Amino acid sequence: MSRGVSMQKNRKIFIIGDSAFAEIAFELFSHDSDYEVVGFSVEAEYLKQDFLFGLPVVPFETVETVFDPAEVEFYAAITYGAMNRLRTRLYQGAKAKGFRPASYISSRAFVWRNVKVGEHCFIFENNTVQPFCKIGDNVVLWSGNHIGHHSVIENNCFVASQVVVSGYCNIGQNTFLGVNATVANNVNVGADNWIGMNASIGKSTGDNLIFKGSQAEQARLTALRYFKVEDDVDGVA
């Protein structure tokens, strides 16, 4: 049974991309927004199918001849490739063609009333965005993040799942925050930072830096030997 929110479809949108993110965007726009998805678009050299979910996939170079910029909005469902530059380029390219950028904020996200959210953003379910935060343009907040009060996520950032950004932080433009990354209070993360999975950032950073998270150490014993599991055990009592 679908748990989506029933909404009247009074706006139209096409999705740039045909990857997993594009498929997810189609599902969420279709069942948790007032947008009707009318098609997809990819750059001609990457066009490998004519239809997706029964809707046309058209070359981005000529997309304005198929979808009317006066009637159809767009969302570029692109992840963090080239430090978010690919999504940014397609977002800016579609705007240059006269299309208006759309945003998606899940009905299951908590975004406080005075949070400022820019254009062309995608905020998944179970995000908590506390009072006085500012989310820039072209930002993706994947599932389950905590953005603390008075914090700023600048343009073109991608925040993966279960990230904690504490209060009074500033995340510089184009930055990527990996799964389970943590940023402490009053920290400024520079532009173009790659914050890896499980990384903890306790002090401010410069621009164009990589921070690797900790990798769990492999034990010498195998799992079966540690738990004394015999190979010929047929079942569990």
Side-chain angles (χ1 to χ4, degrees):
M1 178 181 298
S2 172
R3 297 179 62 191
V5 177
S6 178
M7 296 183 181
Q8 183 177 357
K9 300 297 184 181
N10 52 29
R11 293 191 284 180
K12 295 181 179 180
I13 187 174
F14 75 92
I15 294 171
I16 301 174
D18 63 354
S19 65
F21 189 7
E23 293 182 355
I24 293 169
F26 167 79
E27 184 71 11
L28 296 180
F29 275 119
S30 296
H31 298 285
D32 190 30
S33 85
D34 59 356
Y35 283 101
E36 175 191 357
V37 181
V38 295
F40 298 84
S41 182
V42 299
E43 292 178 299
E45 64 178 305
Y46 302 107
L47 185 61
K48 58 181 182 292
Q49 56 187 337
D50 294 326
F51 294 93
L52 180 59
F53 298 121
L55 299 173
V57 182
V58 303
F60 181 70
E61 291 82 353
T62 56
V63 65
E64 67 274 21
T65 68
V66 179
F67 304 125
D68 184 354
E71 297 181 357
V72 183
E73 299 175 44
F74 79 93
Y75 182 76
I78 309 296
T79 55
Y80 43 81
M83 288 296 290
N84 297 296
R85 262 65 172 187
L86 177 56
R87 184 176 73 259
T88 301
R89 177 172 63 80
L90 292 169
Y91 150 61
Q92 293 175 343
K95 285 186 66 176
K97 290 175 178 288
F99 291 102
R100 289 172 295 163
S103 289
Y104 168 79
I105 300 177
S106 172
S107 62
R108 294 168 177 80
F110 176 86
V111 180
W112 189 246
R113 66 180 185 88
N114 60 9
V115 171
K116 295 181 180 179
V117 179
E119 66 179 23
H120 198 251
C121 289
F122 209 99
I123 300 178
F124 279 81
E125 73 281 355
N126 297 328
N127 274 277
T128 295
V129 187
Q130 291 190 324
F132 303 104
C133 286
K134 181 179 179 180
I135 309 298
D137 298 335
N138 191 36
V139 170
V140 177
L141 301 180
W142 214 267
S143 304
N145 301 297
H146 170 96
I147 311 300
H149 60 91
H150 296 90
S151 286
V152 175
I153 310 294
E154 293 188 8
N155 297 344
N156 312 322
C157 288
F158 190 104
V159 182
S161 298
Q162 308 301 326
V163 171
V164 173
V165 175
S166 301
Y168 286 104
C169 292
N170 192 92
I171 309 300
Q173 63 181 359
N174 304 314
T175 287
F176 171 84
L177 294 172
V179 172
N180 287 329
T182 302
V183 181
N185 279 332
N186 300 292
V187 166
N188 294 323
V189 173
D192 295 303
N193 273 213
W194 180 275
I195 312 296
M197 181 177 64
N198 295 324
S200 295
I201 307 298
K203 59 183 180 180
S204 296
T205 75
D207 296 341
N208 192 23
L209 298 174
I210 293 177
F211 295 88
K212 296 181 179 180
S214 58
Q215 175 68 28
E217 181 180 354
Q218 180 180 327
R220 292 185 178 182
L221 291 176
T222 65
L224 295 180
R225 184 175 179 185
Y226 180 83
F227 289 102
K228 299 179 181 179
V229 176
E230 302 291 340
D231 291 339
D232 58 354
V233 172
D234 294 329
V236 177

